[in-house]
Amino acid sequence: MTTFSISDEFYLDQKPFKFISGSIHYFRVVPEYWRDRLEKLRLMGCNTVETYVPWNLHEPQEGQYCFDDGLDLRRFIQTAQEVGLYVILRPAPYICAEWEFGGLPYWLLQDSNMKLRFDYPPFMEKIERYFSHLFPQVNDLQYSHGGPILMMQVENEYGGYANDKNYLRKMAAAMQTAGVDTPLVTSDGPWHDMLENGSIQDVALATINCGSKIKEHFERLKTFHGEKKPLMVMEFWIGWFDAWGDDHHHTTSTEDAVKELTDCLAQGSVNIYMFHGGTNFGFMNGANYYQQLAPDVTSYDYDALLTEWGEPTDKYHAFREVIGRTVTLPAFPLSTIIKCKGYGALRAEARVSLFATLDTISQPIKSNYPLSMEQVNQATGYIYYRSAIGKARKIEDYRLINCMDRAHTFINDQLVRIDYDHDLGKTNTLDLTAEDNALGILVENMGRVNYSVHMNHQYKGIKDGVIVNGAFQSEWTIYPLPMDNLSAIDFSGTWEAGQPSFSRFVLNIEETADTFIELPDWGKGFVTVNGHNIGRFWQKGPQKRLYIPAPFLKEGENEIIVFESDGVTGEEIIFHDQADLGPRQ
């Protein structure tokens, strides 16, 4: 019988075992490239792959479950086993990961009393129901059943959020009830009270997350353990993520990372975060909020060992050399041929204003007051509110009450102002000059906060209402715009400069390859390629080009649709053979 256990050390089939692992998030990589990324991890000398599991993708609407195509977690794990890798699975309902709402599904917020990540019975009931669908996908892939899964994690960095030990214990028990018999771990920062808050040492091994001073932090972990237990950095941060508005693409020192990796392997085990970051396709980037909103860019390159598009970096080769001092490095040919290609510039074949096609892409809702995205069963994207506000006059008090994250105000379909983050809720004035006037408000969900206390206040759109001259405005028509049905756009409609719009391009190619799209002189929006939402762009950077993996393309005609929200529409788009993530640090 195969066994994996944790006592004074990790033991695999009764023999001491050292994790040399790397993080790959299957949901940030097209499934056609899973094997390539896993093979490159194995070739670097790693014996394990670690991945999070995003609840919000696997249960996008309450009671609807997805475990196929790019969400086929089972196939990802089986592929890892075929490549020769063990697996650390981190299936906690909360994953952080710089991911939309930290992996929590938006519909949790439809309970106005919801207490996230606490022993709140309705929250626990939803987790247990989700676990009853998730774990049957992977239970027989645990090592004790002949599969590659060696460990699973309870929650994630919980000590940086709260210290509800009843919640943690019930989480562990729920996993075990659902069929988990693999050893459990927790992971927390080694600072402040995080280890004390987030650990349940009689149930799960405590591990740490950090990017430097590993010798020092291992001493802290030894003291915390109180007895001899294996030391592990569950997230060895070797890079960092970028937010819109950063002045550079974050990179870290290879020399410093190599030193820390060497120190880590000398005393314990490691999981490299990230080995391969991948891409925040669609609207799935998360955000941080400290002094201000900081939504993450589309690329999750992370200055990882493989680039966003899967190319080994100098850091990869340096890490491989260090790992080669500990294990014998494998050698085998890669099974996937990947090319990068530039396809040149394209001009739009059709263009239509959002307002001219609203009724073809959205079913309007009538309400006396604005409804948030959550109230109309919408997770991400945009939402548009329209109301008649009467005759010509000066509006001295115009306010959006409890509105997030970015709002465009229109009078008679003409853009008046754009408000973002701290500006939302402030008092402004409007000048109405027409005989009859319509107020329109387009609100974008820029990505729900994925870490810390602001997670409790992530209602998107307008939650409370709109003040017009001191009073709440009523009688609204609301258009949910998740932007998941762009085939319904009516490009025969009118286009007017300065309005939000859709532009359609046709790319004819003879060979598919990875490529990178640049949108010179465009403002802000997102791009779809043959129906695949490849993510957001924003002229403020730092990211300048979006990654398009070859599996999203086909030989012959490819349809590219660009939505631009700010009325800043360029004349062309350009396909390059190289990325541009912005100036390096």
Side-chain angles (χ1 to χ4, degrees), residues 137-159:
Q137 300 286 325
V138 301
N139 277 340
D140 65 330
L141 298 178
Q142 297 176 90
Y143 192 67
S144 57
H145 299 260
I149 301 172
L150 297 184
M151 297 194 303
M152 293 198 204
Q153 180 174 285
V154 181
E155 243 283 349
N156 182 60
E157 296 184 324
Y158 189 68

Side-chain angles (χ1 to χ4, degrees), residues 62-365:
E62 187 167 11
Q64 298 178 10
Y65 300 94
C66 301
F67 293 101
D68 55 4
D69 300 325
L71 295 176
D72 193 342
L73 171 62
R74 181 177 182 84
R75 182 158 72 90
F76 178 80
I77 294 170
Q78 290 172 324
T79 304
Q81 186 174 26
E82 291 166 8
V83 170
L85 293 165
Y86 299 108
V87 174
I88 298 171
L89 199 63
R90 301 170 80 187
Y94 167 74
I95 63 173
C96 186
E98 291 71 58
W99 189 252
E100 155 75 18
F101 208 20
L104 297 175
Y106 85 94
W107 45 260
L108 290 171
L109 299 174
Q110 292 173 338
D111 175 355
S112 61
N113 296 315
M114 178 57 65
K115 296 300 293 182
L116 302 171
R117 305 175 70 194
F118 275 92
D119 182 16
Y120 172 64
F123 184 57
M124 299 305 300
E125 288 166 10
K126 294 177 192 301
I127 289 171
E128 289 166 4
R129 186 192 60 211
Y130 167 58
F131 281 179
S132 74
H133 289 81
L134 169 65
F135 285 112
Q137 300 286 325
V138 301
N139 277 340
D140 65 330
L141 298 178
Q142 297 176 90
Y143 192 67
S144 57
H145 299 260
I149 301 172
L150 297 184
M151 297 194 303
M152 293 198 204
Q153 180 174 285
V154 181
E155 243 283 349
N156 182 60
E157 296 184 324
Y158 189 68
Y161 184 79
N163 60 359
D164 185 350
K165 296 300 179 77
N166 285 335
Y167 166 66
L168 289 177
R169 293 182 185 282
K170 287 185 177 181
M171 277 287 304
M175 294 172 68
Q176 291 163 341
T177 298
V180 173
D181 55 30
T182 286
L184 302 177
V185 297
T186 57
S187 66
D188 289 284
W191 310 282
H192 308 301
D193 298 334
M194 292 181 180
L195 276 169
E196 287 79 4
N197 290 345
S199 302
I200 40 175
Q201 294 194 79
D202 57 328
V203 176
L205 176 73
T207 68
I208 58 174
N209 298 345
C210 59
S212 61
K213 299 182 179 178
I214 286 176
K215 281 185 177 180
E216 175 184 324
H217 296 321
F218 269 173
E219 290 303 312
R220 165 86 167 95
L221 185 58
K222 286 179 187 177
T223 301
F224 179 74
H225 283 327
E227 59 183 296
K228 184 165 173 43
K229 291 184 179 180
L231 303 175
M232 183 167 185
V233 180
M234 183 57 71
E235 290 186 12
F236 170 37
W237 304 323
I238 62 160
W240 207 244
F241 50 89
D242 299 334
W244 292 114
D246 287 350
D247 59 8
H248 62 271
H249 166 51
H250 290 88
T251 59
T252 58
S253 162
T254 296
E255 182 181 358
D256 290 347
V258 162
K259 176 186 176 299
E260 296 293 343
L261 176 64
T262 303
D263 290 345
C264 186
L265 292 177
Q267 293 190 69
S269 291
V270 67
N271 176 57
I272 300 160
Y273 193 99
M274 295 291 298
F275 170 75
H276 172 53
T279 308
N280 296 316
F281 293 118
F283 301 124
M284 299 312 294
N285 65 279
N288 282 288
Y289 205 112
Y290 296 102
Q291 284 72 42
Q292 60 187 11
L293 179 65
D296 299 312
V297 303
T298 297
S299 171
Y300 198 63
D301 178 87
Y302 206 87
D303 195 34
L305 302 184
L306 298 187
T307 63
E308 179 188 4
W309 52 100
E311 181 181 340
T313 63
D314 290 343
K315 197 183 294 183
Y316 173 97
H317 296 294
F319 272 40
R320 188 171 187 269
E321 181 180 344
V322 172
I323 293 168
R325 300 172 198 157
T326 300
V327 301
T328 300
L329 297 173
F332 55 86
L334 294 169
S335 60
T336 309
I337 298 173
I338 299 175
K339 300 178 181 178
C340 290
K341 191 169 184 176
Y343 296 108
L346 284 180
R347 296 180 72 87
E349 297 204 351
R351 186 166 280 167
V352 64
S353 291
L354 169 66
F355 305 134
T357 192
L358 263 177
D359 289 308
T360 72
I361 62 172
S362 181
Q363 292 291 113
I365 298 167

